[in-house]
Amino acid sequence: MLYGIVAAIAALLLTAALAALLRMFALRFGVVERRRLRVVPLLGGVAVVGGTALVAGAGEWTDVAPLGTDAGRLLVAGIGVALLGLVADLRAVPLAVQVGGVGVAAAVTVPYGELGLLGGVLGVAWIVFVTFAFVSLDHADGVMGTVGVVTAFALSGCAAAEVMDGTAALLSVLAAALTGFLMQGRPPARIVPGRCGALFAGFVLAGAAVVVHGGRETGAGVAALFSLTAVGLVDLALAARGPGGHLAHRLRRGGLTSRGVMVVIGAAAFGGALVGLLIDLGWVGAGAAWWVAGVAAVVVLVGGVGPGSRPRRPYPIPSPGGSAPRPPNARRARPQTPDGLKIPPPDRLRIHSRTG
């Protein structure tokens, strides 16, 4: 108990400090991406991976809180996936290569002894989908981190109930690391996790969910898995409809602020995670997941009816005989960091841009 408290505090503070340092490094060397009119540093995922790996590795090395075979393999595979995401943050990597890398890592961590060959293949597919669902969530400040914290805490409770102490410890450390990252990544974000952080968090959470629920009955296991990851899957389904289809973008067009979007999506993730935890503990039946599925279906259907992109501003209006007039004293907005620092990128600086 004492080690868990110390490990959580250490992971939180270490990740927050690493995020602050890496923010300066990213600004210095131009590792940034464009979000609206802001230029936001990447490399926040390196802080999450570093905080989680260092604290969890210290527990394994000192034998105070050994991770065990399953959790240790999951952490190593997650670090490999994070390295792939870091390369994707620095230069263009085809989506097929990213999917293939995550699939190989998932194939290493799936418990075939409990799931069988067919169940193992389905588990690999599920891990890939959930991992990229967390990548889909990282299109708005603080959303991916908030959903990750809620899901990690719920999954750690599921692992503790199954007496998987190593997996529970790893998930608790990940939840604390994501909380520390949110100290820098909450709206307006001073640094974002990028593919590195989103792939790492999504992979570890999805892999841990499959490992924890691998030995359960099929109905209860599938119901809990879906409830725990419903928000990410909904966002992925909405994003597949086209640019601007992410859940956060639609909520912003509905009038919510960035922080309001983070709170609403976090509350939705809490509801789904709570249902999944209650199913896993046996306090409610697997049928409770139908409520989560119904809400998710309504959100996908209603969200698909609305426009896929933000409507253009009515000004300027093109004149019949020439080009559109510019407003007086109009200046093109320059990209800024959240603290107001203007970053004029050099000629060779490639700024990542997310339009989805």
Side-chain angles (χ1 to χ4, degrees):
M1 182 65 178
L2 179 60
Y3 171 79
I5 297 175
V6 174
I9 295 175
L12 188 151
L13 296 179
L14 179 60
T15 304
L18 285 175
L21 291 175
L22 289 169
R23 177 181 182 275
M24 294 187 294
F25 180 86
L27 288 175
R28 173 65 179 82
F29 292 96
V31 186
V32 296
E33 76 170 18
R34 190 188 304 274
R35 289 192 175 183
R36 296 180 180 272
L37 296 178
R38 295 185 298 127
V39 170
V40 187
L42 289 169
L43 301 183
V46 178
V48 176
V49 177
T52 304
L54 288 175
V55 175
E60 173 70 21
W61 181 64
T62 59
D63 205 30
V64 175
L67 296 177
T69 303
D70 292 336
R73 186 187 301 117
L74 185 62
L75 178 60
V76 173
I79 294 174
V81 170
L83 291 176
L84 175 62
L86 179 60
V87 175
D89 284 334
L90 298 177
R91 59 182 64 248
V93 176
L95 181 60
V97 175
Q98 299 180 43
V99 173
V102 174
V104 171
V108 175
T109 59
V110 166
Y112 295 97
E114 298 177 352
L115 296 175
L117 180 59
L118 179 59
V121 173
L122 294 176
V124 170
W126 181 267
I127 291 175
V128 172
F129 272 106
V130 173
T131 300
F132 281 93
F134 273 81
V135 175
S136 178
L137 287 171
D138 185 35
H139 281 77
D141 296 346
V143 171
M144 191 281 296
T146 302
V147 175
V149 169
V150 172
T151 307
F153 272 123
L155 272 174
S156 65
C158 297
E162 297 292 332
V163 199
M164 296 181 175
D165 296 335
T167 304
L170 175 61
L171 291 168
S172 298
V173 171
L174 175 61
L178 289 172
T179 304
F181 169 76
L182 285 175
M183 296 174 67
Q184 297 285 334
R186 67 184 184 276
R190 295 169 56 83
I191 189 170
V192 294
R195 291 262 168 167
C196 176
L199 286 176
F200 175 76
F203 178 83
V204 172
L205 292 173
V210 172
V211 169
V212 170
H213 297 91
R216 296 183 59 84
E217 297 179 358
T218 303
V222 172
L225 280 174
F226 174 78
S227 299
L228 287 163
T229 56
V231 171
L233 297 176
V234 167
D235 186 80
L236 191 63
L238 289 174
R241 295 179 177 269
H246 294 279
L247 182 59
H249 294 171
R250 294 180 182 276
L251 290 175
R252 284 298 303 272
R253 289 196 294 273
L256 292 181
T257 63
S258 297
R259 294 188 178 183
V261 168
M262 185 182 72
V263 171
V264 169
I265 296 181
F270 175 80
L274 179 61
V275 172
L277 177 60
L278 294 178
I279 292 175
D280 193 80
L281 296 176
W283 293 359
V284 297
W290 286 110
W291 291 96
V292 180
V295 174
V298 170
V299 172
V300 172
L301 292 176
V302 174
V305 174
S309 60
R310 181 183 292 273
R312 296 181 180 272
R313 295 181 179 180
Y315 188 90
I317 302 174
S319 60
S323 59
R326 295 185 62 187
N329 301 326
R331 293 183 180 181
R332 180 176 298 177
R334 299 175 63 183
Q336 298 183 8
T337 58
D339 52 7
L341 177 62
K342 295 184 178 180
I343 305 295
D347 295 337
R348 296 184 179 180
L349 176 61
R350 184 171 71 90
I351 299 179
H352 300 261
S353 178
R354 296 190 179 185
T355 57

